[in-house]
Amino acid sequence: MFFVDTIEVTGLGNRGYLAGGARTAVAVDPPRDMDRMIEAATRRGVRISHVVETHLHNDYVTGGLELARITGAAYLVPAAATVAFERIPVRDGDTTVVDADAGVSLRAMATPGHTPHHTSYVLEENGTAVAVFTGGSLLIGTVGRPDLVEPRLTERLARAQHASAHRLVAELPDETPVLPTHGFGSFCSAGRAEGGETTIGKEKAANEALTLDADAFVAALLAGLDDIPAYYAHMGPANAVGPAPVDLTPPAPADAEEIAARLEQGEWVVDLRNRVAFAAGHVAGSFNFEAEGQLATYLAWLIPWGKPVTLLAESAGQLAAAQRELVRVGIDRPAAAATGDPSGWVRRGEETRSFPRAVFADLAVRREAGDIVVLDVRRTSERAEGHIAGSVHIPLHTLHRRLDEIPGGPVWVHCAGGMRAAIAASLLDAAGRDVVVVDDAYDNAVRAGLTGRTA
């Protein structure tokens, strides 16, 4: 009897999988903190005999190479992917026995589109398809975006996505579970996944890759593509070279003097506490990236690549969890760290900074008095669906380079829910601006009568 366990990587919006029989198993698209795969195998009482990649990932650093090294597993990577390490090259139609006693095997199916070499794997039990690992090909209600490899290939890969989706539904039964890697918040997805489970039959009925003809699908797909996170440029090359082993030991401790020195040197000091606590009191010059939010995605997107980062956390547990998140995107070793609260992070005689929080109803009242700047840090696609009339639009991921574009006066900054506005407010506060963070759901801007016409 086969099994499939899901390894959630919620901060990045991805999933990895462990699948097999009673004795041995395969790890599919493992995250870099691959100890979670080992723990899952231990709970099952199975040995990881194979590790497979659906493609060279552009949104995270893989744990596949290290997992294969530690467990002695065979490492399967699509043959057309150019890599600098030893692996077993996988080609369309190749079959790999995972657990002979249970009759569990994997059949490779070329599904280019997300990347030119993308490969899906059909999990079979005694020759019958029981699931398909689709990586960045067919997702839940959408597909993986085709614009991450090379701009000149984007349209060609979009057409390949359409063809690959149709191949999957043509060759697999409707009841086959579809198990993608991307699509749960990942920016590798061309759209937002709806729900957590799907099948070939459900996708056949609802996925635009399967309900639209190729020309209409490609036009819709290309029109909906949004900005690519800046750190993606570093993920593919890291995976091609072969990621180094992970070091999750605690960083060197930093006292108030060292924190101040690092700030003076222009390094990033990142406060991991929730945005309410940060607004109430924080180290001047520090930035707020909540540990409970999309820490890895937004910190890696905004920070100049390779710049040292010092982490401030409320507890050792919060710090350890943040380290785990960050190694997944190649931020391997914090320069230093401190735990506790701001009273221990500032030098004697220095004061912490703070700024107010508000809701959209407060903004509606304050706008009547005039002399404020309303800053919208949502993505362009979000703003296109509606915005506050007269607001300044600078997407969060570009804000640190465009602070001088914000007019003078108090700045009330908002996003769709509060997390990105809090990051933006911390950037503005560090730059010495008078800032108020609107920590509220955007639906309340509509209710407060603030929204203008669609852009």
Side-chain angles (χ1 to χ4, degrees):
M1 182 67 181
F2 78 96
F3 74 86
V4 177
D5 289 341
T6 301
I7 309 299
E8 296 280 358
V9 190
T10 53
L12 295 178
N14 287 327
R15 289 176 176 174
Y17 301 93
L18 182 74
R23 296 178 180 275
T24 50
V26 57
V28 181
D29 287 345
R32 195 174 184 201
D33 49 328
M34 43 70 198
D35 56 325
R36 299 175 65 205
M37 283 286 185
I38 295 173
E39 290 167 1
T42 300
R43 287 193 298 270
R44 286 282 184 179
V46 297
R47 177 177 63 86
I48 297 176
S49 58
H50 297 80
V51 178
V52 303
E53 305 282 5
T54 56
H55 60 293
L56 290 186
H57 304 283
N58 290 290
D59 65 329
Y60 69 90
V61 181
T62 182
L65 181 63
E66 182 68 359
L67 178 60
R69 186 187 69 79
I70 288 176
T71 61
Y75 192 30
L76 281 61
V77 177
T82 302
V83 297
F85 49 82
E86 293 294 322
R87 91 292 195 201
I88 297 175
V90 178
R91 296 175 175 83
D92 185 46
D94 286 355
T95 297
T96 300
V97 176
V98 176
D99 190 311
D101 292 343
V104 176
S105 61
L106 279 183
R107 175 165 56 87
M109 183 184 295
T111 49
H114 186 48
T115 66
H117 61 263
H118 190 282
T119 301
S120 297
Y121 297 91
V122 182
L123 184 68
E124 298 180 332
E125 184 179 47
N126 298 319
T128 299
V130 291
V132 57
F133 301 105
T134 54
S137 182
L138 188 65
L139 311 184
I140 302 179
T142 185
V143 294
R145 58 193 298 172
D147 60 332
L148 302 180
V149 177
E150 156 63 53
R152 292 171 294 183
L153 295 178
T154 297
E155 182 172 350
R156 186 190 314 171
L157 290 177
R159 293 188 178 279
Q161 279 290 50
H162 188 267
S164 292
H166 280 262
R167 181 186 181 189
L168 286 164
V169 302
E171 297 188 16
L172 297 173
D174 282 359
E175 63 272 17
T176 309
V178 174
L179 305 176
T181 300
H182 305 313
F184 310 96
S186 167
F187 283 90
C188 267
S189 173
R192 183 75 180 185
E194 297 294 336
E197 298 180 355
T198 193
T199 63
I200 288 291
K202 290 178 181 177
E203 292 309 303
K204 188 188 297 185
N207 195 308
E208 287 191 346
L210 300 166
T211 60
L212 298 177
D213 65 38
D215 289 340
F217 167 74
V218 169
L221 180 63
L222 299 185
L225 294 174
D226 214 328
D227 290 348
I228 300 171
Y231 71 93
Y232 277 26
H234 305 280
M235 301 296 96
N239 289 324
V241 169
V246 169
D247 180 2
L248 291 175
T249 57
D255 59 16
E257 291 291 341
E258 182 172 351
I259 292 170
R262 290 187 176 278
L263 282 167
E264 289 167 1
Q265 292 165 12
E267 297 182 10
W268 277 37
V269 173
V270 171
D271 191 325
L272 300 168
R273 296 174 302 144
N274 70 71
R275 56 187 183 258
V276 177
F278 183 88
H282 55 269
V283 177
S286 62
F287 303 138
N288 182 214
F289 291 79
E290 291 181 305
E292 295 80 10
Q294 291 179 278
L295 167 66
T297 294
Y298 282 101
L299 180 55
W301 198 340
L302 270 68
I303 191 170
W305 197 252
K307 182 176 281 291
V309 59
T310 293
L311 301 178
L312 307 179
E314 63 185 9
S315 67
Q318 186 180 68
L319 175 61
Q323 282 185 259
R324 183 175 287 271
E325 286 273 335
L326 294 177
V327 297
R328 295 170 182 162
V329 293
I331 301 178
D332 282 12
R333 292 296 299 165
T339 57
D341 61 69
S343 65
W345 301 337
V346 295
R347 293 175 293 193
R348 181 172 297 180
E350 293 183 340
E351 295 183 356
T352 58
R353 285 183 60 85
S354 63
F355 51 77
R357 297 169 57 246
V359 296
F360 282 110
D362 299 323
L363 175 57
V365 173
R366 181 63 180 83
R367 285 196 90 189
E368 294 298 321
D371 300 326
I372 66 168
V373 178
V374 179
L375 176 63
D376 180 352
V377 296
R378 296 174 302 159
R379 294 190 301 278
T380 301
S381 58
E382 295 172 279
R383 185 173 172 88
E385 297 177 0
H387 66 275
I388 295 174
S391 59
V392 175
H393 180 229
I394 302 179
L396 173 61
H397 60 273
T398 69
L399 181 62
H400 57 303
R401 303 190 303 269
R402 301 174 59 188
L403 292 172
D404 58 352
E405 297 179 28
I406 303 171
V411 182
W412 287 56
V413 58
H414 80 86
C415 60
M419 182 196 73
R420 287 173 291 172
I423 298 172
S426 72
L427 297 176
L428 290 161
D429 178 76
R433 295 298 299 266
D434 180 2
V435 63
V436 177
V437 60
V438 180
D439 191 356
D440 199 3
Y442 187 74
D443 286 348
N444 290 324
V446 179
R447 297 187 182 97
L450 286 166
T451 58
R453 292 184 178 274
T454 312

